[in-house]
């Protein structure tokens, strides 16, 4: 049984939700567990696995991952796809360009426009970090069945999608 402290104990039994909790108690437990998850996820990322630990912050990872999966794109498209402001993306991309993980290139159809693209160095770095994080997820969920892993991933994906939809619905439109 994991150590019980103020960050894990949502109930006297160590964080387990009672069998038939009232809606408020269940939602209190859910919000508490999400807060603990956020803390633990950051601590785990900083602890990491192997040589790659503590090597890439969340913003950099998400930006590089999106460029890898969706290909070269402009700052506005990157920002829109991530649900953040263009100025935030510009600020987050600058060190990635400076360190050679991302390169700025001319848009293939409009040479005046600039797109951001994952560099070969950025691809290698992203692959390394992904492998480390994959190993970490394997270790953390060791002992879980494939069905439990699938269910957790599905529910976490659904939860994140609901948060993103809520955020998008409550954001004022960006002015360009």
């Amino acid at each position: 049984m994991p150590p019980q402290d103020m960050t894990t104990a949502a109930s006297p039994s160590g964080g387990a939700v009672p069998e038939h909790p009232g809606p408020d108690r269940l939602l209190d437990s859910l919000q508490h567990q999400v807060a603990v998850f956020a803390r633990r996820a950051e601590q785990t990322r900083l602890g990491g696995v192997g040589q790659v630990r503590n090597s890439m912050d969340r913003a950099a990872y998400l930006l590089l991952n999106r460029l890898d999966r969706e290909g070269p794109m402009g700052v506005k498209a990157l920002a829109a796809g991530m649900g953040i402001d263009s100025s935030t993306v510009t600020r987050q991309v600058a060190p990635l360009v400076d360190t050679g993980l991302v390169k700025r290139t001319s848009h293939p159809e409009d040479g005046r426009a600039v797109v951001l693209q994952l560099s070969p160095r950025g691809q290698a770095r992203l692959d390394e970090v992904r492998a480390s994080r994959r190993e970490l997820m394997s270790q953390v969920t060791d002992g879980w069945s494939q069905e439990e892993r699938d269910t957790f991933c599905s529910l976490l994906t659904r939860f994140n999608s609901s948060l993103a939809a809520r955020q998008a619905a409550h954001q004022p439109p960006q002015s360009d």
Side-chain angles (χ1 to χ4, degrees), residues 120-138:
R121 181 173 180 221
Q123 183 68 61
R125 192 76 185 92
L126 180 59
D127 291 345
E128 184 180 41
V129 170
R130 275 185 184 151
S132 173
R133 291 180 178 193
R134 190 177 308 115
E135 176 59 24
L136 179 62
M137 291 300 104
S138 176

Side-chain angles (χ1 to χ4, degrees), residues 34-94:
V34 168
V36 171
F37 172 77
R39 175 183 288 160
R40 296 275 188 247
E42 187 62 14
Q43 289 170 336
T44 301
R45 182 193 67 79
L46 292 173
V49 174
Q51 296 290 334
V52 184
R53 65 185 181 161
N54 200 13
S55 62
M56 186 178 289
D57 70 34
R58 182 179 53 244
Y61 178 78
L62 292 172
L63 286 166
L64 294 178
N65 200 44
R66 183 162 290 270
L67 288 173
D68 180 46
R69 295 202 170 157
E70 296 184 23
M73 66 181 74
V75 169
K76 285 183 182 181
L78 192 54
M82 296 180 73
I84 57 179
D85 189 76
S86 294
S87 64
T88 301
V89 169
T90 300
R91 199 171 44 254
Q92 292 175 347
V93 164

